[in-house]
Amino acid sequence: DAGVIQSPRHEVTEMGQEVTLRCKPISGHDYLFWYRQTMMRGLELLIYFNNNVPIDDSGMPEDRFSAKMPNASFSTLKIQPSEPRDSAVYFCASTTRTGGPQPQHFGDGTRLSIL
Amino acid sequence: KNEVEQSPQNLTAQEGEFITINCSYSVGISALHWLQQHPGGGIVSLFMLSSGKKKHGRLIATINIQEKHSSLHITASHPRDSAVYICAVAGGADGLTFGKGTHLIIQP
């Protein structure tokens, strides 16, 4: 059974460029979360979706960040324009609440470096 | 917003020792998660608790809802247990709020 799949694993780009991170949740999971991990702030929730609909985007740092979930099997997190302070590891996670709360399953993360 | 505090921040122990990591939170929750992250690696869910105690192999997690406190125990610790252990809480349908993590090193 495939887990949460994120791509790319690593991304290095220059300041000002557009960055797109991708996530494929586990089939059947109806919740999808985007998290960011930095040394200074640890892990933080950016946004989450339920049934492809954004529920809480209060963690999105600013308008340069946007996230979409066009269907149940795909989500993107976009940064435009990117800045050096966006350098972090970005994790996607998915879960379902069928039958009650369930653990979240995390992807391997995308390590993003903005030069 | 929930405040999640973990202690200790860093812990070095000898192989075989009994390990305890603590987590406290400020606001009532629907569930508490213990996660493990190896250096440069992904995040693995170890436990999800809403009450009582759970055990998996050498790992035990407990939660006291009234005191807003949870502990993660590792019995007969092994160098492969070296990792960052992260406590995270969920309120209702929200995403997780995380502690800063405990860096655990088990020396042979």
Side-chain angles (χ1 to χ4, degrees), chain A residues 6-8 18 28 38 43 55 64 69 71 74 84 93 96 104 109:
Chain A
Q6 290 187 246
S7 64
E18 178 178 289
T38 62
L43 276 159
I55 303 300
R64 297 184 297 105
M69 192 164 186
N71 57 62
F74 184 66
T96 180
Q104 293 188 17

Side-chain angles (χ1 to χ4, degrees), chain A residues 33 35 37 43 48 101-102 106, chain B residues 37 43 48 93 95-96 98:
Chain A
F33 304 84
Y35 296 103
Q37 185 177 38
L43 276 159
Y48 79 94
Q102 303 293 331
F106 288 77
Chain B
Q37 185 175 29
I43 298 169
M48 187 183 73
L96 299 177
F98 300 87

